Amino acid sequence: LGQGRVDPRALGGVVAELLPTGFLKPKRLAKALAEVAAASPAHATTVRAVLQSALRGDPDAAPRDIAALLSLLHELSVAAGARVDDPQARAWLEAQRRGGRTKTLRGALLAL
């Protein structure tokens, strides 16, 4: 991060492509990204950007446990006092129709 070799949009794009395939497990990814975010405020900002960039494509194709990533995004956004400002991420959230925890987090993220 300090050397500028992480492109959050590009990394988020890769995550967006891989999530529907089942290759990435949202719970494991959320745990790893939470550890990265804990390193510093700059790391947390980068992880927020990655997560927002990962919210792309067909919301119905997202894995069932996508709430793990939404929860981390919500936690980091609240801590930063920031909203989901990526237009594509907001559109993805608005189109998401899952119930349960995903629905609750969707509403909370859009309300920020």
mmCIF file of all heavy atoms in Angstrom, residues 14-59:
data_model
loop_
_atom_site.group_PDB
_atom_site.id
_atom_site.type_symbol
_atom_site.label_atom_id
_atom_site.label_comp_id
_atom_site.label_asym_id
_atom_site.label_seq_id
_atom_site.Cartn_x
_atom_site.Cartn_y
_atom_site.Cartn_z
ATOM 1 N N VAL A 14 -11.559 -8.013 -9.762
ATOM 2 C CA VAL A 14 -11.226 -9.441 -9.771
ATOM 3 C C VAL A 14 -12.118 -10.185 -8.769
ATOM 4 O O VAL A 14 -12.643 -11.259 -9.063
ATOM 5 C CB VAL A 14 -9.735 -9.665 -9.464
ATOM 6 C CG1 VAL A 14 -9.433 -11.137 -9.257
ATOM 7 C CG2 VAL A 14 -8.877 -9.091 -10.581
ATOM 8 N N VAL A 15 -12.290 -9.598 -7.607
ATOM 9 C CA VAL A 15 -13.159 -10.211 -6.598
ATOM 10 C C VAL A 15 -14.583 -10.331 -7.149
ATOM 11 O O VAL A 15 -15.232 -11.372 -7.003
ATOM 12 C CB VAL A 15 -13.139 -9.410 -5.276
ATOM 13 C CG1 VAL A 15 -14.194 -9.913 -4.305
ATOM 14 C CG2 VAL A 15 -11.756 -9.468 -4.633
ATOM 15 N N ALA A 16 -15.066 -9.291 -7.810
ATOM 16 C CA ALA A 16 -16.418 -9.310 -8.388
ATOM 17 C C ALA A 16 -16.570 -10.444 -9.404
ATOM 18 O O ALA A 16 -17.616 -11.099 -9.466
ATOM 19 C CB ALA A 16 -16.728 -7.974 -9.047
ATOM 20 N N GLU A 17 -15.543 -10.672 -10.193
ATOM 21 C CA GLU A 17 -15.595 -11.750 -11.187
ATOM 22 C C GLU A 17 -15.569 -13.127 -10.541
ATOM 23 O O GLU A 17 -16.204 -14.063 -11.030
ATOM 24 C CB GLU A 17 -14.422 -11.622 -12.161
ATOM 25 C CG GLU A 17 -14.559 -10.481 -13.138
ATOM 26 C CD GLU A 17 -13.394 -10.416 -14.111
ATOM 27 O OE1 GLU A 17 -12.842 -11.482 -14.446
ATOM 28 O OE2 GLU A 17 -13.035 -9.303 -14.514
ATOM 29 N N LEU A 18 -14.817 -13.264 -9.453
ATOM 30 C CA LEU A 18 -14.640 -14.576 -8.835
ATOM 31 C C LEU A 18 -15.746 -14.966 -7.856
ATOM 32 O O LEU A 18 -16.001 -16.152 -7.656
ATOM 33 C CB LEU A 18 -13.288 -14.647 -8.138
ATOM 34 C CG LEU A 18 -12.073 -14.614 -9.059
ATOM 35 C CD1 LEU A 18 -10.790 -14.591 -8.244
ATOM 36 C CD2 LEU A 18 -12.080 -15.795 -10.012
ATOM 37 N N LEU A 19 -16.417 -13.996 -7.242
ATOM 38 C CA LEU A 19 -17.434 -14.327 -6.249
ATOM 39 C C LEU A 19 -18.526 -15.259 -6.787
ATOM 40 O O LEU A 19 -18.848 -16.250 -6.135
ATOM 41 C CB LEU A 19 -18.059 -13.056 -5.665
ATOM 42 C CG LEU A 19 -17.270 -12.412 -4.547
ATOM 43 C CD1 LEU A 19 -17.891 -11.083 -4.155
ATOM 44 C CD2 LEU A 19 -17.157 -13.329 -3.345
ATOM 45 N N PRO A 20 -19.115 -14.992 -7.941
ATOM 46 C CA PRO A 20 -20.181 -15.882 -8.421
ATOM 47 C C PRO A 20 -19.702 -17.292 -8.763
ATOM 48 O O PRO A 20 -20.507 -18.211 -8.835
ATOM 49 C CB PRO A 20 -20.717 -15.188 -9.675
ATOM 50 C CG PRO A 20 -20.227 -13.809 -9.625
ATOM 51 C CD PRO A 20 -18.976 -13.823 -8.808
ATOM 52 N N THR A 21 -18.421 -17.473 -8.948
ATOM 53 C CA THR A 21 -17.902 -18.788 -9.337
ATOM 54 C C THR A 21 -17.797 -19.748 -8.155
ATOM 55 O O THR A 21 -17.678 -20.952 -8.356
ATOM 56 C CB THR A 21 -16.497 -18.665 -9.957
ATOM 57 O OG1 THR A 21 -15.567 -18.272 -8.937
ATOM 58 C CG2 THR A 21 -16.462 -17.687 -11.109
ATOM 59 N N GLY A 22 -17.821 -19.222 -6.938
ATOM 60 C CA GLY A 22 -17.641 -20.052 -5.762
ATOM 61 C C GLY A 22 -16.180 -20.277 -5.420
ATOM 62 O O GLY A 22 -15.859 -20.920 -4.419
ATOM 63 N N PHE A 23 -15.280 -19.755 -6.238
ATOM 64 C CA PHE A 23 -13.845 -19.910 -5.995
ATOM 65 C C PHE A 23 -13.427 -19.177 -4.723
ATOM 66 O O PHE A 23 -12.599 -19.662 -3.967
ATOM 67 C CB PHE A 23 -13.058 -19.398 -7.199
ATOM 68 C CG PHE A 23 -11.575 -19.619 -7.086
ATOM 69 C CD1 PHE A 23 -11.032 -20.889 -7.189
ATOM 70 C CD2 PHE A 23 -10.718 -18.553 -6.874
ATOM 71 C CE1 PHE A 23 -9.667 -21.095 -7.080
ATOM 72 C CE2 PHE A 23 -9.354 -18.743 -6.761
ATOM 73 C CZ PHE A 23 -8.828 -20.021 -6.862
ATOM 74 N N LEU A 24 -14.006 -17.988 -4.507
ATOM 75 C CA LEU A 24 -13.743 -17.230 -3.289
ATOM 76 C C LEU A 24 -14.866 -17.488 -2.297
ATOM 77 O O LEU A 24 -16.037 -17.500 -2.671
ATOM 78 C CB LEU A 24 -13.688 -15.728 -3.578
ATOM 79 C CG LEU A 24 -12.514 -15.223 -4.392
ATOM 80 C CD1 LEU A 24 -12.658 -13.725 -4.622
ATOM 81 C CD2 LEU A 24 -11.202 -15.515 -3.707
ATOM 82 N N LYS A 25 -14.516 -17.677 -1.063
ATOM 83 C CA LYS A 25 -15.495 -17.868 0.004
ATOM 84 C C LYS A 25 -15.634 -16.542 0.753
ATOM 85 O O LYS A 25 -14.671 -16.084 1.391
ATOM 86 C CB LYS A 25 -15.053 -18.969 0.972
ATOM 87 C CG LYS A 25 -14.757 -20.294 0.300
ATOM 88 C CD LYS A 25 -15.983 -20.865 -0.362
ATOM 89 C CE LYS A 25 -15.673 -22.220 -0.971
ATOM 90 N NZ LYS A 25 -16.650 -22.614 -1.941
ATOM 91 N N PRO A 26 -16.793 -15.881 0.684
ATOM 92 C CA PRO A 26 -16.943 -14.568 1.311
ATOM 93 C C PRO A 26 -16.549 -14.503 2.780
ATOM 94 O O PRO A 26 -15.941 -13.532 3.211
ATOM 95 C CB PRO A 26 -18.430 -14.256 1.112
ATOM 96 C CG PRO A 26 -18.765 -14.954 -0.163
ATOM 97 C CD PRO A 26 -17.986 -16.246 -0.086
ATOM 98 N N LYS A 27 -16.876 -15.529 3.557
ATOM 99 C CA LYS A 27 -16.521 -15.485 4.984
ATOM 100 C C LYS A 27 -15.009 -15.473 5.177
ATOM 101 O O LYS A 27 -14.484 -14.716 5.993
ATOM 102 C CB LYS A 27 -17.131 -16.668 5.723
ATOM 103 C CG LYS A 27 -18.623 -16.532 5.905
ATOM 104 C CD LYS A 27 -19.188 -17.708 6.661
ATOM 105 C CE LYS A 27 -20.693 -17.580 6.792
ATOM 106 N NZ LYS A 27 -21.284 -18.700 7.512
ATOM 107 N N ARG A 28 -14.310 -16.297 4.425
ATOM 108 C CA ARG A 28 -12.845 -16.334 4.532
ATOM 109 C C ARG A 28 -12.227 -15.035 4.016
ATOM 110 O O ARG A 28 -11.274 -14.508 4.601
ATOM 111 C CB ARG A 28 -12.287 -17.514 3.747
ATOM 112 C CG ARG A 28 -12.579 -18.836 4.368
ATOM 113 C CD ARG A 28 -11.978 -19.948 3.564
ATOM 114 N NE ARG A 28 -12.413 -21.241 4.072
ATOM 115 C CZ ARG A 28 -12.291 -22.364 3.428
ATOM 116 N NH1 ARG A 28 -11.733 -22.384 2.234
ATOM 117 N NH2 ARG A 28 -12.714 -23.489 3.949
ATOM 118 N N LEU A 29 -12.756 -14.549 2.907
ATOM 119 C CA LEU A 29 -12.245 -13.306 2.342
ATOM 120 C C LEU A 29 -12.478 -12.142 3.297
ATOM 121 O O LEU A 29 -11.590 -11.311 3.504
ATOM 122 C CB LEU A 29 -12.892 -13.040 0.981
ATOM 123 C CG LEU A 29 -12.443 -11.787 0.255
ATOM 124 C CD1 LEU A 29 -10.938 -11.818 -0.010
ATOM 125 C CD2 LEU A 29 -13.213 -11.628 -1.056
ATOM 126 N N ALA A 30 -13.654 -12.094 3.910
ATOM 127 C CA ALA A 30 -13.963 -11.024 4.862
ATOM 128 C C ALA A 30 -13.005 -11.062 6.047
ATOM 129 O O ALA A 30 -12.533 -10.016 6.500
ATOM 130 C CB ALA A 30 -15.411 -11.131 5.330
ATOM 131 N N LYS A 31 -12.702 -12.257 6.519
ATOM 132 C CA LYS A 31 -11.770 -12.380 7.647
ATOM 133 C C LYS A 31 -10.379 -11.864 7.270
ATOM 134 O O LYS A 31 -9.759 -11.113 8.017
ATOM 135 C CB LYS A 31 -11.690 -13.841 8.092
ATOM 136 C CG LYS A 31 -10.820 -14.056 9.293
ATOM 137 C CD LYS A 31 -10.792 -15.514 9.716
ATOM 138 C CE LYS A 31 -9.850 -15.707 10.889
ATOM 139 N NZ LYS A 31 -9.770 -17.106 11.303
ATOM 140 N N ALA A 32 -9.909 -12.250 6.093
ATOM 141 C CA ALA A 32 -8.584 -11.811 5.632
ATOM 142 C C ALA A 32 -8.559 -10.301 5.413
ATOM 143 O O ALA A 32 -7.606 -9.614 5.818
ATOM 144 C CB ALA A 32 -8.199 -12.541 4.353
ATOM 145 N N LEU A 33 -9.596 -9.766 4.796
ATOM 146 C CA LEU A 33 -9.641 -8.322 4.541
ATOM 147 C C LEU A 33 -9.780 -7.529 5.834
ATOM 148 O O LEU A 33 -9.251 -6.424 5.942
ATOM 149 C CB LEU A 33 -10.773 -7.984 3.571
ATOM 150 C CG LEU A 33 -10.559 -8.426 2.125
ATOM 151 C CD1 LEU A 33 -11.803 -8.146 1.287
ATOM 152 C CD2 LEU A 33 -9.337 -7.745 1.513
ATOM 153 N N ALA A 34 -10.470 -8.082 6.821
ATOM 154 C CA ALA A 34 -10.582 -7.409 8.120
ATOM 155 C C ALA A 34 -9.213 -7.287 8.781
ATOM 156 O O ALA A 34 -8.898 -6.264 9.394
ATOM 157 C CB ALA A 34 -11.553 -8.163 9.017
ATOM 158 N N GLU A 35 -8.396 -8.321 8.636
ATOM 159 C CA GLU A 35 -7.039 -8.274 9.187
ATOM 160 C C GLU A 35 -6.214 -7.205 8.483
ATOM 161 O O GLU A 35 -5.453 -6.476 9.121
ATOM 162 C CB GLU A 35 -6.369 -9.631 9.060
ATOM 163 C CG GLU A 35 -6.933 -10.675 10.003
ATOM 164 C CD GLU A 35 -6.269 -12.035 9.862
ATOM 165 O OE1 GLU A 35 -5.130 -12.104 9.346
ATOM 166 O OE2 GLU A 35 -6.899 -13.029 10.274
ATOM 167 N N VAL A 36 -6.361 -7.098 7.182
ATOM 168 C CA VAL A 36 -5.645 -6.064 6.424
ATOM 169 C C VAL A 36 -6.119 -4.685 6.866
ATOM 170 O O VAL A 36 -5.312 -3.784 7.122
ATOM 171 C CB VAL A 36 -5.853 -6.237 4.901
ATOM 172 C CG1 VAL A 36 -5.281 -5.053 4.127
ATOM 173 C CG2 VAL A 36 -5.223 -7.536 4.425
ATOM 174 N N ALA A 37 -7.431 -4.513 6.979
ATOM 175 C CA ALA A 37 -7.999 -3.216 7.354
ATOM 176 C C ALA A 37 -7.550 -2.768 8.738
ATOM 177 O O ALA A 37 -7.431 -1.564 9.006
ATOM 178 C CB ALA A 37 -9.523 -3.278 7.288
ATOM 179 N N ALA A 38 -7.281 -3.720 9.618
ATOM 180 C CA ALA A 38 -6.871 -3.386 10.981
ATOM 181 C C ALA A 38 -5.452 -2.820 11.057
ATOM 182 O O ALA A 38 -5.072 -2.225 12.071
ATOM 183 C CB ALA A 38 -6.981 -4.619 11.868
ATOM 184 N N ALA A 39 -4.689 -2.948 9.994
ATOM 185 C CA ALA A 39 -3.296 -2.506 10.009
ATOM 186 C C ALA A 39 -3.138 -0.998 10.154
ATOM 187 O O ALA A 39 -2.229 -0.528 10.839
ATOM 188 C CB ALA A 39 -2.564 -2.989 8.758
ATOM 189 N N SER A 40 -4.012 -0.228 9.510
ATOM 190 C CA SER A 40 -3.910 1.232 9.584
ATOM 191 C C SER A 40 -5.151 1.847 8.948
ATOM 192 O O SER A 40 -5.880 1.171 8.212
ATOM 193 C CB SER A 40 -2.663 1.724 8.834
ATOM 194 O OG SER A 40 -2.869 1.648 7.434
ATOM 195 N N PRO A 41 -5.379 3.133 9.184
ATOM 196 C CA PRO A 41 -6.511 3.801 8.522
ATOM 197 C C PRO A 41 -6.399 3.754 6.984
ATOM 198 O O PRO A 41 -7.412 3.619 6.296
ATOM 199 C CB PRO A 41 -6.433 5.237 9.037
ATOM 200 C CG PRO A 41 -5.767 5.123 10.373
ATOM 201 C CD PRO A 41 -4.765 4.003 10.197
ATOM 202 N N ALA A 42 -5.184 3.829 6.466
ATOM 203 C CA ALA A 42 -5.009 3.760 5.009
ATOM 204 C C ALA A 42 -5.406 2.381 4.486
ATOM 205 O O ALA A 42 -6.024 2.258 3.418
ATOM 206 C CB ALA A 42 -3.561 4.074 4.626
ATOM 207 N N HIS A 43 -5.055 1.357 5.238
ATOM 208 C CA HIS A 43 -5.436 0.002 4.852
ATOM 209 C C HIS A 43 -6.960 -0.150 4.873
ATOM 210 O O HIS A 43 -7.548 -0.754 3.981
ATOM 211 C CB HIS A 43 -4.793 -1.032 5.779
ATOM 212 C CG HIS A 43 -3.334 -1.247 5.527
ATOM 213 N ND1 HIS A 43 -2.380 -0.349 5.907
ATOM 214 C CD2 HIS A 43 -2.690 -2.266 4.934
ATOM 215 C CE1 HIS A 43 -1.183 -0.808 5.566
ATOM 216 N NE2 HIS A 43 -1.347 -1.969 4.958
ATOM 217 N N ALA A 44 -7.591 0.397 5.909
ATOM 218 C CA ALA A 44 -9.047 0.318 6.022
ATOM 219 C C ALA A 44 -9.721 1.017 4.848
ATOM 220 O O ALA A 44 -10.694 0.508 4.281
ATOM 221 C CB ALA A 44 -9.508 0.913 7.347
ATOM 222 N N THR A 45 -9.200 2.168 4.458
ATOM 223 C CA THR A 45 -9.752 2.897 3.322
ATOM 224 C C THR A 45 -9.610 2.091 2.039
ATOM 225 O O THR A 45 -10.532 2.024 1.216
ATOM 226 C CB THR A 45 -9.043 4.265 3.167
ATOM 227 O OG1 THR A 45 -9.284 5.022 4.355
ATOM 228 C CG2 THR A 45 -9.535 5.024 1.961
ATOM 229 N N THR A 46 -8.481 1.455 1.875
ATOM 230 C CA THR A 46 -8.252 0.628 0.686
ATOM 231 C C THR A 46 -9.203 -0.567 0.665
ATOM 232 O O THR A 46 -9.787 -0.885 -0.377
ATOM 233 C CB THR A 46 -6.791 0.166 0.612
ATOM 234 O OG1 THR A 46 -5.953 1.325 0.539
ATOM 235 C CG2 THR A 46 -6.541 -0.709 -0.591
ATOM 236 N N VAL A 47 -9.366 -1.223 1.799
ATOM 237 C CA VAL A 47 -10.272 -2.368 1.857
ATOM 238 C C VAL A 47 -11.707 -1.929 1.553
ATOM 239 O O VAL A 47 -12.426 -2.616 0.829
ATOM 240 C CB VAL A 47 -10.170 -3.088 3.222
ATOM 241 C CG1 VAL A 47 -11.279 -4.124 3.392
ATOM 242 C CG2 VAL A 47 -8.807 -3.745 3.364
ATOM 243 N N ARG A 48 -12.112 -0.773 2.068
ATOM 244 C CA ARG A 48 -13.451 -0.251 1.738
ATOM 245 C C ARG A 48 -13.602 -0.076 0.232
ATOM 246 O O ARG A 48 -14.624 -0.436 -0.349
ATOM 247 C CB ARG A 48 -13.689 1.117 2.404
ATOM 248 C CG ARG A 48 -14.188 1.053 3.813
ATOM 249 C CD ARG A 48 -14.597 2.428 4.350
ATOM 250 N NE ARG A 48 -15.743 2.919 3.623
ATOM 251 C CZ ARG A 48 -15.743 3.973 2.808
ATOM 252 N NH1 ARG A 48 -14.644 4.669 2.608
ATOM 253 N NH2 ARG A 48 -16.831 4.332 2.195
ATOM 254 N N ALA A 49 -12.582 0.471 -0.405
ATOM 255 C CA ALA A 49 -12.632 0.675 -1.856
ATOM 256 C C ALA A 49 -12.695 -0.660 -2.606
ATOM 257 O O ALA A 49 -13.420 -0.790 -3.592
ATOM 258 C CB ALA A 49 -11.433 1.499 -2.314
ATOM 259 N N VAL A 50 -11.935 -1.634 -2.141
ATOM 260 C CA VAL A 50 -11.958 -2.968 -2.758
ATOM 261 C C VAL A 50 -13.361 -3.558 -2.652
ATOM 262 O O VAL A 50 -13.910 -4.078 -3.628
ATOM 263 C CB VAL A 50 -10.913 -3.905 -2.108
ATOM 264 C CG1 VAL A 50 -11.140 -5.347 -2.530
ATOM 265 C CG2 VAL A 50 -9.505 -3.458 -2.444
ATOM 266 N N LEU A 51 -13.939 -3.483 -1.463
ATOM 267 C CA LEU A 51 -15.266 -4.054 -1.258
ATOM 268 C C LEU A 51 -16.322 -3.362 -2.113
ATOM 269 O O LEU A 51 -17.194 -4.017 -2.695
ATOM 270 C CB LEU A 51 -15.646 -3.994 0.220
ATOM 271 C CG LEU A 51 -14.849 -4.927 1.125
ATOM 272 C CD1 LEU A 51 -15.134 -4.628 2.598
ATOM 273 C CD2 LEU A 51 -15.152 -6.383 0.801
ATOM 274 N N GLN A 52 -16.238 -2.047 -2.216
ATOM 275 C CA GLN A 52 -17.197 -1.340 -3.057
ATOM 276 C C GLN A 52 -17.022 -1.738 -4.522
ATOM 277 O O GLN A 52 -18.008 -1.941 -5.232
ATOM 278 C CB GLN A 52 -17.052 0.175 -2.901
ATOM 279 C CG GLN A 52 -17.552 0.683 -1.569
ATOM 280 C CD GLN A 52 -17.576 2.184 -1.498
ATOM 281 O OE1 GLN A 52 -18.301 2.826 -2.248
ATOM 282 N NE2 GLN A 52 -16.792 2.747 -0.592
ATOM 283 N N SER A 53 -15.800 -1.878 -4.954
ATOM 284 C CA SER A 53 -15.541 -2.272 -6.342
ATOM 285 C C SER A 53 -15.932 -3.718 -6.609
ATOM 286 O O SER A 53 -16.121 -4.106 -7.760
ATOM 287 C CB SER A 53 -14.061 -2.067 -6.684
ATOM 288 O OG SER A 53 -13.740 -0.696 -6.663
ATOM 289 N N ALA A 54 -16.043 -4.516 -5.559
ATOM 290 C CA ALA A 54 -16.438 -5.922 -5.723
ATOM 291 C C ALA A 54 -17.945 -6.075 -5.923
ATOM 292 O O ALA A 54 -18.411 -7.125 -6.358
ATOM 293 C CB ALA A 54 -15.989 -6.736 -4.514
ATOM 294 N N LEU A 55 -18.705 -5.042 -5.597
ATOM 295 C CA LEU A 55 -20.158 -5.109 -5.748
ATOM 296 C C LEU A 55 -20.528 -4.726 -7.178
ATOM 297 O O LEU A 55 -20.874 -3.591 -7.486
ATOM 298 C CB LEU A 55 -20.843 -4.201 -4.723
ATOM 299 C CG LEU A 55 -20.544 -4.520 -3.264
ATOM 300 C CD1 LEU A 55 -21.281 -3.560 -2.347
ATOM 301 C CD2 LEU A 55 -20.882 -5.964 -2.931
ATOM 302 N N ARG A 56 -20.432 -5.720 -8.048
ATOM 303 C CA ARG A 56 -20.675 -5.544 -9.476
ATOM 304 C C ARG A 56 -21.432 -6.768 -9.995
ATOM 305 O O ARG A 56 -21.479 -7.803 -9.349
ATOM 306 C CB ARG A 56 -19.367 -5.445 -10.262
ATOM 307 C CG ARG A 56 -18.442 -4.337 -9.847
ATOM 308 C CD ARG A 56 -18.937 -2.996 -10.390
ATOM 309 N NE ARG A 56 -17.994 -1.931 -10.194
ATOM 310 C CZ ARG A 56 -17.950 -1.154 -9.125
ATOM 311 N NH1 ARG A 56 -18.756 -1.366 -8.116
ATOM 312 N NH2 ARG A 56 -17.072 -0.177 -9.036
ATOM 313 N N GLY A 57 -21.954 -6.642 -11.189
ATOM 314 C CA GLY A 57 -22.588 -7.789 -11.827
ATOM 315 C C GLY A 57 -23.997 -8.026 -11.327
ATOM 316 O O GLY A 57 -24.654 -7.142 -10.786
ATOM 317 N N ASP A 58 -24.449 -9.242 -11.501
ATOM 318 C CA ASP A 58 -25.805 -9.636 -11.138
ATOM 319 C C ASP A 58 -25.880 -9.923 -9.635
ATOM 320 O O ASP A 58 -25.275 -10.887 -9.168
ATOM 321 C CB ASP A 58 -26.188 -10.885 -11.938
ATOM 322 C CG ASP A 58 -27.574 -11.388 -11.632
ATOM 323 O OD1 ASP A 58 -28.329 -10.705 -10.891
ATOM 324 O OD2 ASP A 58 -27.923 -12.473 -12.142
ATOM 325 N N PRO A 59 -26.627 -9.124 -8.878
ATOM 326 C CA PRO A 59 -26.726 -9.360 -7.438
ATOM 327 C C PRO A 59 -27.295 -10.744 -7.105
ATOM 328 O O PRO A 59 -26.966 -11.317 -6.070
ATOM 329 C CB PRO A 59 -27.665 -8.265 -6.943
ATOM 330 C CG PRO A 59 -27.695 -7.251 -8.014
ATOM 331 C CD PRO A 59 -27.377 -7.950 -9.294
#
